[in-house]
């Protein structure tokens, strides 16, 4: 077997990022983490939704930035020349904007018919809401996902912007781009990857909808086994120090380990007796309130009870499992996730830093457009 390298498996892949916020830049960040050469076009003097400085925006890490004004004919011409040498392009504008700017798929395919064109939208390019604004919370609201999260006696709870923007949006865009690149290798033809967040979130709900079809899932949050509100062996409990532990002891042996670790005398054959759940949840909650989070973590460490301490974003770096994996790294003073997933043929090297807007303009033009210069010489 060859010695692992620090180059990612997508080394040699050129991706041009045309614009967008959140899920689009997340998708291209992942491609950059995997070794792709991602060049982001930033508008000269443009403002960013991101509240910090350019070099703090982790969604741009590992990329290079060129400053181009797509509304200026000269800037547009350079962007099209760059697209001629890209394998994939990604945009996150509202429907029709890329075409008005002159960087839509048909514009770029004239010079590069094999280009894979990734479109990141919330609602999708068609339908009654296609041209209206929206954010993660709006997209997950209409899919049923938001309605299913939270306690039965309270409002739906917002799962940060992870479920829509990054899981249902950015990750599906990456999968689509890689699949379309595979086809472009075979056929020499590119295509549009239509990654709408509402589609992706709906797709993520396949398992839940299968439970609905069997009658195992009711359309009322906080009443089902996996929504944290009903099953006493699947949920979050407070500890004596005001912290929390997460419990996911679904299978019989895991449930037995939970009950044994808690020191409770509960009949194991009544685990799925829904009539007994409220009282059992109260007894388990009372037991967890008797000790601190650290004490319970020590009790259940190296067991199959599926009990884990609930860490904060800053406290996660102290978790021994994450520390052993090196899952969080501090680079340039910023605590950030390491690359994921990992590959046996590639070592985990440092992650790339986020660029300043326009930092690599001359460098990228020299590298990507050298063929144009040679052809015109």
């Amino acid at each position: 077997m060859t010695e692992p390298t620090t180059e990612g498996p997508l080394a040699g892949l050129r991706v041009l990022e045309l614009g967008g916020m959140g899920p689009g830049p997340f998708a291209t960040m992942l491609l950059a983490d995997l070794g792709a050469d991602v060049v982001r076009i930033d508008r000269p003097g443009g403002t960013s939704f991101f509240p910090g400085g350019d070099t703090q925006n982790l969604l741009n890490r590992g990329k290079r930035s060129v400053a181009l004004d797509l509304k200026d004919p000269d800037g547009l011409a350079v962007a099209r020349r760059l697209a001629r040498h890209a394998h994939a392009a990604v945009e996150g504008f509202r429907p029709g904007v890329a075409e008005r700017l002159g960087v839509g798929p048909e514009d770029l395919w004239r010079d590069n018919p094999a280009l894979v064109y990734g479109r990141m939208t919330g609602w999708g390019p068609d339908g009654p809401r296609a041209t209206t604004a929206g954010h993660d919370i709006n997209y997950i609201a209409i899919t049923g996902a938001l309605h299913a999260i939270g306690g039965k006696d309270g409002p739906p709870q917002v799962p940060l912007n992870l479920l829509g923007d990054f899981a249902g949006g950015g990750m599906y865009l990456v999968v689509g781009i890689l699949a379309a690149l595979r086809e472009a290798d075979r056929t020499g033809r590119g295509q549009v990857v239509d990654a709408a967040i509402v589609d992706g979130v709906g797709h993520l709900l396949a398992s839940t909808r299968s439970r609905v079809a069997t009658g195992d899932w009711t359309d009322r949050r906080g009443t089902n086994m996996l929504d944290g509100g009903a099953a006493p062996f699947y949920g979050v409990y407070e500890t004596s120090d005001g912290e929390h532990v997460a419990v996911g002891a679904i299978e019989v042996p895991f449930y037995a380990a939970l009950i044994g670790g808690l020191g409770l005398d509960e009949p194991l054959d009544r685990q799925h007796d829904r009539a007994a759940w409220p009282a059992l949840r109260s007894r388990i909650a009372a037991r967890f309130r008797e000790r601190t989070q650290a004490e319970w973590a020590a009790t259940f460490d190296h067991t199959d009870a599926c009990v884990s301490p609930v860490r904060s974003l800053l406290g996660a770096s102290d978790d021994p499992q994450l520390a052993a994996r090196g899952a969080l790294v501090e680079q340039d003073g910023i605590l950030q996730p390491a690359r994921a997933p990992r590959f046996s043929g590639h070592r985990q090297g440092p992650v790339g830093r986020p660029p300043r807007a326009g930092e690599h303009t001359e460098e990228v033009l020299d590298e990507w457009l050298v063929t144009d210069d040679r052809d015109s010489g």
Side-chain angles (χ1 to χ4, degrees), residues 11-370:
L13 181 71
R14 286 181 168 180
V15 179
L16 186 63
E17 183 180 334
L18 298 172
M21 299 184 299
F26 171 77
T28 50
M29 180 204 80
L30 177 52
L31 294 173
D33 280 352
L34 296 177
D37 181 10
V38 178
V39 169
R40 174 182 170 85
I41 294 179
D42 284 301
R43 184 164 58 89
T47 58
S48 171
F49 178 78
F50 182 71
D54 291 340
T55 58
Q56 295 173 300
N57 189 349
L58 296 182
L59 294 188
N60 287 336
R61 74 181 190 186
K63 305 175 187 178
R64 297 191 287 176
S65 171
V66 298
L68 294 174
D69 185 354
L70 297 179
K71 295 182 179 180
D72 178 81
D74 292 335
L76 174 60
V78 173
R80 285 183 171 178
R81 290 174 64 199
L82 289 171
R84 188 184 306 168
H85 300 284
H87 298 97
V90 173
E91 63 97 343
F93 304 117
R94 290 201 200 189
V97 171
E99 282 78 5
R100 290 197 294 273
L101 289 172
V103 290
E106 297 292 342
D107 301 306
L108 304 186
W109 282 335
R110 293 191 189 103
D111 293 321
N112 187 357
L115 181 74
V116 169
Y117 195 96
R119 308 200 98 147
M120 185 73 260
T121 63
W123 307 115
D126 46 30
R129 294 190 178 95
T131 59
T132 63
H135 282 296
D136 181 296
I137 192 171
N138 309 113
Y139 309 136
I140 68 173
I142 69 165
T143 64
L146 182 60
H147 178 271
I149 301 171
K152 65 180 180 179
D153 298 321
Q157 297 298 304
V158 181
L160 301 182
N161 65 327
L162 298 177
L163 180 55
D165 281 351
F166 303 127
M171 291 300 294
Y172 275 83
L173 179 58
V174 170
V175 171
I177 287 174
L178 295 179
L181 285 169
R182 176 72 176 88
E183 187 169 28
D185 284 342
R186 296 197 313 268
T187 66
R189 296 190 303 273
Q191 61 187 299
V192 172
V193 177
D194 172 10
I197 293 174
V198 292
D199 295 345
V201 174
H203 197 257
L204 289 169
L205 287 169
S207 175
T208 305
R209 287 198 175 277
S210 66
R211 289 180 175 272
V212 172
T214 64
D216 184 58
W217 192 280
T218 64
D219 204 18
R220 184 186 178 197
R221 64 181 164 273
T223 62
N224 301 287
M225 184 174 72
L226 296 179
D227 61 14
F233 48 85
Y234 199 92
V236 176
Y237 291 95
E238 187 176 8
T239 54
S240 65
D241 52 351
E243 299 293 338
H244 295 86
V245 294
V247 176
I250 298 175
E251 292 82 356
V252 173
F254 306 160
Y255 178 68
L258 169 68
I259 296 302
L262 289 171
L264 295 175
D265 183 18
E266 298 290 342
L268 300 182
D269 59 358
R270 296 195 65 191
Q271 177 185 359
H272 294 283
D273 182 354
R274 287 177 173 261
W277 279 1
L280 177 56
R281 176 177 280 273
S282 295
R283 290 193 292 273
I284 291 177
R287 189 76 177 98
F288 272 120
R289 284 194 296 267
E290 293 177 6
R291 298 182 189 174
T292 66
Q293 182 194 72
E295 289 173 328
W296 284 119
T299 296
F300 289 106
D301 196 22
H302 303 299
T303 75
D304 284 339
C306 302
V307 176
S308 304
V310 176
R311 308 288 190 195
S312 70
L313 287 172
L314 295 179
S317 60
D318 296 326
D319 187 86
Q321 180 63 29
L322 299 186
R325 292 278 294 171
L328 289 169
V329 296
E330 185 169 331
Q331 190 165 306
D332 299 323
I334 301 176
L335 186 66
Q336 55 191 284
R339 291 185 178 94
R342 306 183 189 193
F343 301 85
S344 62
H346 302 274
R347 293 193 300 271
Q348 282 278 82
V351 295
R353 69 170 182 82
R356 296 185 300 277
E359 178 179 347
H360 303 99
T361 302
E362 295 303 321
E363 175 184 308
V364 169
L365 297 188
D366 286 344
E367 286 183 23
W368 280 37
L369 304 186
V370 64

